[in-house]
Amino acid sequence: MSRKASEFQEKVMPIMYRGKEIFKPLNTGRIDERVACVREYIANIFFYTKNGTTIMIDAGYNYPRLKEKLGWLDIDPADVGHILITHQDTDHVGAVERDSDGLFRHARLYIGEIENRYLTGEKRRRVTFGLYRLPKVQIDNEKTLLRDGDVFMIDDIKVEALLVPGHTWGHMVYLIDDRYLFTGDTIWFGVNGGYSFINGLAEDNNLAKRSLAILENRLRMRRLSPMVITGHTGWSDDLDFVFAHRTEVCNGLRRQKPHDPRAPYDGYDESDDTEEKARTVLLERQDR
């Protein structure tokens, strides 16, 4: 599925979303000494390194330039033994699907037990306001299934899995070392703060908004203020910005307001994503 789906999205989505300021991916590079990022069209995948261990967060598209861009960051796919999957959409699992190039075929996947029902065929993923059912995703990697609140260690790295359903029924976000929260397609950052992710791609928009409220409460009750790192719109560590519009949903059918002057007209244009920048420029936060 992933190769055809990736090729289809590369052709169709630039037409659908051009000029709407929906997707604002980070370029390939580093957020800080721990977190590296690869840009794949409109999506980002992330790598977290600590004490010689590198884990991957989401597996992106079936993307032909992935190995090249990993080289910009001096990351060897063979060194990545663990991949945290937020959800099973093709722009988040493409590099581990059966028809991929197999760069990470040896890696263990971590995925929510509810989300795994898409992979077993018990559930079918619906998009376009529930009108279209996506094909079943095929993955052969070994998997560890997670429940809400599970905490586990990967060498010296602490990982906490938090269930945030809505975009998909079993969407997980991952809190790493209590400092970094990788949110996949849970939160969409506009120029004036965070919203629930794109309306037409959710299984249940009302559930997604309720999940954001619960997530915010969990963080604030624990007095945590992690870097919140999204799959398509950058990062922020200002929780007031992150949850500013959690009761609203990003409307993927129109140009976004207020206007974001940094939003690319065509998110699929990667001409500004270069090795020189990846090696020399830290990736700026969205709230500045």
Side-chain angles (χ1 to χ4, degrees):
M1 169 190 165
S2 66
R3 192 175 300 277
K4 289 183 178 179
S6 295
E7 291 172 353
F8 175 80
Q9 289 192 31
E10 184 186 4
K11 293 176 182 177
V12 174
M13 289 182 68
I15 299 171
M16 293 174 55
Y17 290 104
R18 187 176 290 128
K20 292 183 178 178
E21 303 183 355
I22 298 290
F23 295 107
K24 297 174 280 187
L26 296 168
N27 279 332
T28 302
R30 296 185 180 276
I31 292 176
D32 62 13
E33 73 281 357
R34 292 260 190 258
V35 180
C37 166
V38 168
R39 177 178 177 179
E40 298 184 348
Y41 307 130
I42 56 165
N44 289 129
I45 58 175
F46 299 95
F47 299 83
Y48 182 84
T49 300
K50 179 182 178 184
N51 296 338
T53 297
T54 296
I55 63 175
M56 184 174 176
I57 300 92
D58 280 333
Y61 285 103
N62 192 329
Y63 181 65
R65 298 183 64 195
L66 177 54
K67 189 172 183 179
E68 172 195 352
K69 290 188 178 183
L70 287 174
W72 299 356
L73 300 169
D74 299 317
I75 295 174
D76 185 343
D79 294 334
V80 179
H82 305 269
I83 304 177
L84 309 178
I85 300 295
T86 60
H87 64 296
Q88 61 88 65
D89 287 350
T90 195
D91 56 334
H92 293 259
V93 298
V96 292
E97 286 197 56
R98 186 174 292 167
D99 65 346
S100 72
D101 293 334
L103 295 176
F104 307 101
R105 210 171 296 284
H106 65 287
R108 173 169 288 275
L109 305 188
Y110 300 79
I111 191 166
E113 64 173 6
I114 298 174
E115 194 70 10
N116 189 58
R117 295 173 190 170
Y118 291 114
L119 304 183
T120 63
E122 297 170 71
K123 296 278 189 183
R124 287 288 294 275
R125 176 74 167 108
R126 291 181 178 271
V127 294
T128 318
F129 300 98
L131 299 175
Y132 181 66
R133 293 199 310 173
L134 296 179
K136 179 184 173 184
V137 170
Q138 303 283 346
I139 293 176
D140 296 320
N141 293 60
E142 293 292 325
K143 292 181 292 186
T144 295
L145 302 186
L146 303 172
R147 296 182 178 182
D148 182 36
D150 279 353
V151 179
F152 56 98
M153 301 295 295
I154 299 175
D155 293 337
D156 293 332
I157 300 171
K158 176 187 174 185
V159 180
E160 183 173 355
L162 302 172
L163 180 64
V164 188
H167 180 70
T168 62
W169 297 122
H171 195 298
M172 286 285 190
V173 301
Y174 294 100
L175 181 63
I176 297 183
D177 285 337
D178 292 330
R179 292 184 54 201
Y180 303 86
L181 184 69
F182 294 90
T183 63
D185 288 358
T186 298
I187 300 171
W188 178 88
F189 285 156
V191 70
N192 60 342
Y195 295 70
S196 183
F197 200 70
I198 302 170
N199 54 359
L201 302 180
E203 297 276 15
D204 186 327
N205 283 299
N206 288 328
L207 176 60
K209 290 186 288 185
R210 292 196 299 271
S211 293
L212 274 187
I214 293 169
L215 178 62
E216 178 183 18
N217 185 62
R218 293 172 90 163
L219 295 175
R220 293 193 186 275
M221 288 289 290
R222 293 168 59 181
R223 298 184 179 179
L224 295 174
S225 185
M227 285 186 179
V228 177
I229 303 170
T230 73
H232 298 274
T233 57
W235 69 275
S236 171
D237 61 2
D238 179 350
L239 290 191
D240 291 336
F241 176 88
V242 168
F243 295 104
H245 301 278
R246 61 170 171 74
T247 61
E248 303 173 62
V249 182
C250 171
N251 185 348
L253 300 178
R254 61 167 173 79
R255 186 171 185 259
Q256 298 305 297
K257 295 180 180 180
H259 164 62
D260 186 347
R262 296 190 301 177
Y265 179 76
D266 179 358
Y268 278 80
D269 178 1
E270 297 181 307
S271 58
D272 63 337
D273 192 28
T274 66
E275 181 174 3
E276 180 182 2
K277 288 182 179 179
R279 292 186 177 277
T280 60
V281 180
L282 287 178
L283 302 171
E284 294 184 353
R285 53 200 293 165
Q286 176 65 22
D287 56 352
R288 289 181 179 172

